Amino acid sequence: MSCHSNYFIVLLLFVFLNLISAEARAPFACDPKNGATRGLRFCRANLPIHVRVQDLVGRLNLQEKVKLLVNNAVGVPRLGIQGYEWWSEALHGVSNTGPGTKFQGAFPAATSFPQVITTAASFNSSLWEAIGQVVSDEARAMYNGGAGGLTYWSPNVNIFRDPRWGRGQETPGEDPSLASKYATSYVRGLQGNFNKNNRLKVAACCKHFTAYDLDNWNGVDRFHFNALVSKQDLEDTYNVPFKACVQEGKVASVMCSYNQVNGKPTCADPDLLRNTIRGQWHLNGYIVSDCDSVGVLFDNQHYTKTPEEAAADTIKAGLDLDCGPFLAQHTEAAIRRGLLTEADVNQALTNTFTVQMRLGMFDGEPSAQPFGNLGPRDVCTPAHQDLALQAAREGIVLLQNRPGSLPLSTARHRNIAVIGPNADATVTMIGNYAGIARYSKTIHQKGCTGVACTSNQQFGAAIAAASHADATVLVMGLDQSIEAEARDRTSVLLPGRQQELISKVAQASRGPTILVLMCGGPVDVTFAKNDPKISAILWVGYPGQAGGTAIADVIFGTTNPGGKLPMTWYPQNYVAKIPMTDLAMRADPRRGYPGRTYRFYKGPVVFPFGFGLSYTRFTQSMAQAPTKVMVPLTNHYTNTNMSTLTNNAVKVLHTNCDNTSPLHLHIDVKNMGEVDGPHTVLLFSTPPSGAHSSEKQLIGFKKVHVLAGSQQRVRMKMHVCKHLSRADEYGIRRIPMGEHTLHIGDDIKHQLSLQVDLGK
Ligand SMILES: *[C@@H]1O[C@H](CO)[C@@H](O)[C@H](O)[C@H]1NC(C)=O
Ligand SMILES: *[C@@H]1O[C@H](CO)[C@@H](O)[C@H](O)[C@H]1NC(C)=O
């Protein structure tokens, strides 16, 4: 559901706002009207949170405690605490997927932003934060009105490792730096900027930790999959966005996944949860299981002999909350059998209560708290809908544009044939093709009944429409019946007879043919790239409630497209030779393994990572950048000798990196064309060749709007330890010394020399 389809209902409701806000949610706990509980110590908002949490834990008995270890937490009436549903979702807008949020009454819908892969394609981190702010405004409004929770299990920041993954669309793509930046920006938007006083607007959750990126492929499903991952790939690929999310994003929660990693279910692995997330990264928040994954590791994976062992193993590993009933059912027995202590349970509850207190849930009346004034009038506001439109526009990627094709002109292209099963797909998450009708007269032919496109019955009508129109827009691609949670693809070709329809329609078109691809994962459209009758190709992902308008704005040039691909588009023969179950990132020529993502796969692609055209032309030049940097060692290693260098690389741990100031780069971007437009500077680095180096790696990006004929200076910062280090085969980060190369597009190659500062 989106605001769009319910706009009039929302308008009507506006009239009754005062009535509705009178029905606000009763306080979750510490109701000032409840004389029996308001004096309790944990209710005293002026005490430090850890004191209140300790007081609360101390008042609960074991039976009460175990019922609080699950998403559907049971209330404790004698302490004035209501039940709470922890599970809400807000991947690209408040969603009713989780039971904690319901579209009903005063809240029939929420703003629906583009699917995450599309928003990622904007490469605009301010936009990601702005979307998070809007989503959390709507979430708070719904919470105040009793329709939503405050704990959202979003974003999904797993690396989009294989193009067939059905949930790749939910992620920000294949690159660890991009995913990290997305994670920290969206989380900051959701949780609010008042982290300084340790408060939360809503609690976000980075999921699914870790190496989870296979749902159901070739008889292998996520409930049974054991991901074999090297320490190196874990350190420099799979864990990167999670680490950033915890350390920089200060996320309030991490979710462990269904799959095993190297033979252990992630939710029962103390090394991953207790040692890594909490110990090394210092999570200030709670760890939650994916839904039923504790049950899954017992029932499906047979990881433990008894359910009590499963309960004990997960809690001892660092799990604080179970999505699913398992821990409420088996934890008490686990304690009775001595597999677990009540202190372990107290620790878990301390983590969840702390988040609830940071959210203000123990501070009495919601209306008396920050955000207490948000209500129905703050959901689906015109400003929020504008942001959904902006996101859709910024996420559209122009993949091909033969000279003189796009944009179309309203003067010359008065009649447009709009063809394809996705052309009026509200469910595929586009408003509808009415967008184009704002510019020209349209005639619509489906061509195929659905995206599976099994029959050519409707081809004739589509071809006829194209042959009479001034221009043809084909809206093709995939939908959730082809790629989704629990549904991976086996091929990256367009389904069924889509390719045939596209070629036939293009052949018959009187005017230019524009191919619009609506899909989350990439498709191999080599045939279309090579077809001279196909004038232009756009990738729009799943563009959300304002998708139709955004697509039309790009086609007619009122929006100059600036999106870039957040993932590699591989040819079909790549996926044919690489099993989805192989998680190795790096190419291995000895076994004919091609490697994954632009970082390690060097073979032919349909479109590369970072690719995207514009209606104008930009040049970039390096205005200022360091050429030589000394890397200081910690005291222990200075004044020693060069033995600290292995393969001419120094361990990050042995350097004084925290105390070094960032390096500053200035890049000039010039718009050489006739129209204004956005441009994203993508900064890559390549280390000197040597044992511990990997290939080209994105280290930062920045988007600017540049007026036609003018120039903008882009300022970027980079850190030697973070951006120029590489993981070795033991997962240890080292900084290679010597000549690193910084690349920006084809224009800039800048040498940066690193030397160890031995302090002599
Ligand atoms: C990026 O997003 C922000 C926030 O919505 C917006 O103000 C800005 O114009 C966008 N930047 C570009 C270059 O489009
Ligand atoms: C250099 O340091 C290593 C270990 O710190 C030591 O074993 C070695 O003898 C030192 N070599 C010289 C020449 O000082």
Side-chain angles (χ1 to χ4, degrees):
M1 224 193 291
S2 72
C3 297
H4 201 76
S5 50
N6 291 285
Y7 193 61
F8 294 105
I9 303 172
V10 173
L11 278 183
L12 276 179
L13 282 168
F14 200 78
V15 179
F16 301 109
L17 278 180
N18 289 330
L19 275 176
I20 287 154
S21 48
E23 294 174 27
R25 169 194 292 272
F28 162 75
C30 307
D31 188 343
K33 292 195 284 293
N34 182 347
T37 59
R38 68 162 177 244
L40 297 171
R41 206 167 153 79
F42 67 80
C43 290
R44 283 164 56 186
N46 58 342
L47 291 176
I49 283 178
H50 72 269
V51 173
R52 301 170 68 192
V53 168
Q54 198 181 8
D55 176 71
L56 172 54
V57 171
R59 290 173 192 273
L60 297 168
N61 62 45
L62 183 59
Q63 289 70 33
E64 288 164 337
K65 285 177 186 171
V66 298
K67 291 185 189 133
L68 295 168
L69 292 171
V70 292
N71 64 300
N72 187 6
V74 175
V76 187
R78 67 179 183 91
L79 296 176
I81 299 171
Q82 297 199 6
Y84 179 69
E85 176 50 75
W86 284 82
W87 180 3
S88 288
E89 304 267 355
L91 204 51
H92 54 98
V94 174
S95 152
N96 60 354
T97 310
T101 304
K102 298 210 164 52
F103 291 143
Q104 62 185 22
F107 302 94
T111 307
S112 173
F113 290 92
Q115 182 54 293
V116 176
I117 195 80
T118 309
T119 300
S122 73
F123 278 83
N124 183 349
S125 57
S126 317
L127 173 65
W128 303 333
E129 185 167 343
I131 293 175
Q133 276 164 10
V134 163
V135 171
S136 53
D137 272 357
E138 298 197 351
R140 270 283 171 177
M142 291 182 71
Y143 176 76
N144 293 341
L150 287 178
T151 46
Y152 284 83
W153 293 344
S154 308
N156 178 348
V157 297
N158 289 113
I159 293 296
F160 192 175
R161 162 185 69 90
D162 188 292
R164 292 162 287 196
W165 187 29
R167 301 185 79 175
Q169 58 176 306
E170 297 179 18
T171 76
E174 75 182 25
D175 179 75
S177 309
L178 171 61
S180 297
K181 191 72 186 172
Y182 178 82
T184 54
S185 309
Y186 190 60
V187 166
R188 201 170 295 143
L190 285 179
Q191 296 193 162
N193 265 331
F194 63 153
N195 258 320
K196 31 185 185 311
N197 61 8
N198 199 30
R199 290 297 173 133
L200 294 164
K201 188 177 177 190
V202 306
C205 173
C206 278
K207 66 187 183 186
H208 317 75
F209 190 69
T210 187
Y212 167 65
D213 51 23
L214 176 149
D215 268 57
N216 193 349
W217 178 81
N218 212 16
V220 184
D221 73 49
R222 57 183 174 166
F223 306 122
H224 300 87
F225 184 52
N226 177 18
L228 299 178
V229 192
S230 73
K231 288 202 159 77
Q232 190 174 31
D233 287 342
L234 213 52
E235 170 62 28
D236 74 3
T237 300
Y238 296 105
N239 282 356
V240 176
F242 292 96
K243 185 178 182 181
C245 188
V246 172
Q247 291 190 330
E248 291 161 51
K250 308 266 186 268
V251 78
S253 174
V254 173
M255 178 183 285
C256 50
S257 55
Y258 290 116
N259 57 289
Q260 301 190 345
V261 170
N262 300 331
K264 270 197 190 151
T266 58
C267 293
D269 188 341
D271 219 37
L272 288 176
L273 308 191
R274 200 170 286 291
N275 298 347
T276 306
I277 302 179
R278 225 170 258 295
Q280 288 175 31
W281 301 344
H282 307 295
L283 171 71
N284 176 15
Y286 69 100
I287 300 178
V288 61
S289 75
D290 203 341
C291 294
D292 287 326
S293 68
V294 183
V296 162
L297 70 90
F298 174 69
D299 294 320
N300 303 48
Q301 300 177 3
H302 311 294
Y303 183 69
T304 60
K305 284 203 197 65
T306 64
E308 292 78 20
E309 287 169 316
D313 282 4
T314 50
I315 294 174
K316 283 195 294 193
L319 188 71
D320 303 308
L321 186 74
D322 175 18
C323 177
F326 200 93
L327 291 187
Q329 293 161 349
H330 301 291
T331 303
E332 204 186 328
I335 291 176
R336 268 192 272 110
R337 292 191 192 174
L339 301 168
L340 188 72
T341 65
E342 192 163 345
D344 294 319
V345 172
N346 291 348
Q347 189 51 56
L349 292 180
T350 298
N351 291 331
T352 49
F353 286 148
T354 300
V355 167
Q356 288 180 312
M357 296 228 182
R358 292 169 65 200
L359 286 163
M361 291 172 67
F362 286 86
D363 295 352
E365 286 292 353
S367 59
Q369 294 169 34
F371 313 109
N373 58 333
L374 295 173
R377 71 170 71 84
D378 301 293
V379 178
C380 292
T381 65
H384 295 183
Q385 304 206 39
D386 281 351
L387 194 66
L389 175 58
Q390 182 201 328
R393 285 176 177 149
E394 288 199 38
I396 292 175
V397 182
L398 179 62
L399 293 172
Q400 177 142 302
N401 192 14
R402 294 186 190 279
S405 301
L406 283 181
L408 301 183
S409 93
T410 47
R412 280 183 294 121
H413 305 106
R414 291 163 189 271
N415 295 292
I416 311 280
V418 182
I419 291 169
N422 269 342
D424 63 353
T426 22
V427 184
T428 312
M429 287 192 284
I430 171 176
N432 52 41
Y433 71 102
I436 294 173
R438 286 186 303 126
Y439 291 94
S440 286
K441 256 176 69 187
T442 60
I443 169 165
H444 177 219
Q445 287 294 338
K446 271 176 166 316
C448 312
T449 312
V451 291
C453 199
T454 47
S455 147
N456 63 359
Q457 239 174 27
Q458 300 176 63
F459 282 19
I463 291 165
S467 67
H468 292 113
D470 300 324
T472 301
V473 177
L474 278 152
V475 189
M476 308 298 289
L478 313 175
D479 66 15
Q480 306 299 310
S481 71
I482 307 283
E483 54 170 354
E485 181 163 357
R487 190 172 294 144
D488 299 326
R489 285 181 290 163
T490 49
S491 154
V492 294
L493 294 173
L494 286 170
R497 308 181 78 157
Q498 282 200 38
Q499 186 163 325
E500 186 189 337
L501 173 66
I502 294 166
S503 302
K504 289 197 163 141
V505 165
Q507 191 56 39
S509 290
R510 191 155 65 92
T513 301
I514 316 304
L515 175 59
V516 175
L517 295 167
M518 196 175 287
C519 48
V523 283
D524 178 354
V525 288
T526 306
F527 79 98
K529 235 175 108 180
N530 296 338
D531 185 343
K533 287 289 289 175
I534 295 175
S535 323
I537 306 174
L538 291 168
W539 175 60
V540 302
Y542 295 120
Q545 63 173 53
T549 304
I551 292 168
D553 291 345
V554 167
I555 287 177
F556 286 93
T558 48
T559 293
N560 186 355
K564 293 188 181 286
L565 293 180
M567 75 299 205
T568 307
W569 285 37
Y570 303 90
Q572 172 63 18
N573 66 9
Y574 170 87
V575 298
K577 66 183 172 222
I578 185 166
M580 199 175 164
T581 45
D582 195 327
L583 272 85
M585 293 300 298
R586 289 159 165 83
D588 185 353
R590 283 170 309 171
R591 58 186 183 104
Y593 188 74
R596 294 181 177 277
T597 76
Y598 78 90
R599 291 160 62 220
F600 305 107
Y601 167 67
K602 301 296 157 192
V605 297
V606 182
F607 295 108
F609 172 85
F611 185 73
L613 304 169
S614 167
Y615 293 152
T616 185
R617 195 169 66 79
F618 296 98
T619 58
Q620 313 170 100
S621 58
M622 189 72 92
Q624 186 190 310
T627 52
K628 186 173 161 185
V629 174
M630 303 299 286
V631 179
L633 300 184
T634 52
N635 280 338
H636 182 69
Y637 293 94
T638 46
N639 295 319
T640 59
N641 59 34
M642 294 298 283
S643 74
T644 184
L645 285 171
T646 310
N647 287 312
N648 209 29
V650 58
K651 280 189 190 174
V652 168
L653 271 175
H654 294 174
T655 63
N656 224 339
C657 273
D658 291 343
N659 301 327
T660 54
S661 39
L663 308 179
H664 295 270
L665 306 179
H666 294 180
I667 298 112
D668 286 335
V669 177
K670 193 157 190 200
N671 183 340
M672 310 294 285
E674 310 282 294
V675 287
D676 305 345
H679 175 73
T680 301
V681 174
L682 296 175
L683 173 65
F684 294 90
S685 79
T686 313
S689 51
H692 294 303
S693 48
S694 77
E695 303 284 349
K696 196 167 126 174
Q697 159 77 59
L698 183 71
I699 60 177
F701 55 89
K702 204 154 205 183
K703 188 177 198 181
V704 281
H705 191 81
V706 193
L707 302 180
S710 81
Q711 180 170 298
Q712 283 254 343
R713 179 152 294 185
V714 176
R715 291 176 168 80
M716 296 176 83
K717 275 186 226 167
M718 57 181 280
H719 293 267
V720 168
C721 294
K722 192 172 162 209
H723 294 123
L724 299 182
S725 64
R726 292 294 186 271
D728 69 14
E729 57 269 43
Y730 308 103
I732 309 279
R733 282 205 171 262
R734 294 171 184 275
I735 309 166
M737 295 298 128
E739 297 286 312
H740 291 249
T741 310
L742 305 180
H743 314 250
I744 302 173
D746 296 328
D747 306 334
I748 300 176
K749 265 200 172 123
H750 176 84
Q751 297 295 121
L752 175 61
S753 171
L754 295 191
Q755 284 172 31
V756 182
D757 187 348
L758 289 169
K760 282 176 183 160

